[in-house]
Amino acid sequence: MTRPDRTLEDVHAGIEAAFQHVVAHAGVGLDPAFERRLDRHQRQLRALLGEDADLASDAIEAARRVMTSADPAAPLLMLAMARDALARAVRRHAHRMRIAA
């Protein structure tokens, strides 16, 4: 569960840091600790994004493909597109939350 003091932007910053790690280590495989980290980020984002929760899952799945692919070029492109879609959704939700506050 996401701590109440963690904002959507905080959670998104955390997953972006994980995505940077994925890009830097493309094709090297997925160790269990990093996989748990991705799962944690996915749960947090899904809890905060509501109807856009599938975008978090899509981005995490793309990250897994990058890490496990023997040729990560295409998965890296998929990850870039998924990151963009996720970032747009985060901005949209953050904007709505600020308006509602």
Side-chain angles (χ1 to χ4, degrees):
M1 181 61 95
T2 303
R3 293 188 335 244
D5 59 330
R6 298 230 28 220
T7 66
L8 179 58
E9 291 92 345
D10 292 338
V11 174
H12 184 246
I15 192 62
E16 277 298 315
F19 289 152
Q20 289 173 1
H21 174 85
V22 166
V23 170
H25 297 90
V28 300
L30 200 59
D31 70 77
F34 190 73
E35 190 163 19
R36 285 190 299 275
R37 179 179 171 192
L38 290 175
D39 289 341
R40 184 182 72 245
H41 287 304
Q42 182 176 9
R43 284 190 305 276
Q44 291 171 336
L45 282 168
R46 288 188 64 83
L48 293 167
L49 286 176
E51 73 272 6
D52 288 325
D54 287 342
L55 294 172
S57 296
D58 293 346
I60 297 296
E61 183 57 34
R64 282 190 173 96
R65 283 191 204 113
V66 168
M67 293 294 290
T68 59
S69 178
D71 181 10
L76 280 166
L77 180 58
M78 290 172 44
L79 176 60
M81 291 186 297
R83 285 173 81 175
D84 288 343
L86 180 59
R88 283 192 306 273
V90 166
R91 284 191 301 271
R92 196 170 46 248
H93 281 269
H95 179 72
R96 287 181 198 155
M97 290 165 61
R98 281 191 291 277
I99 289 173

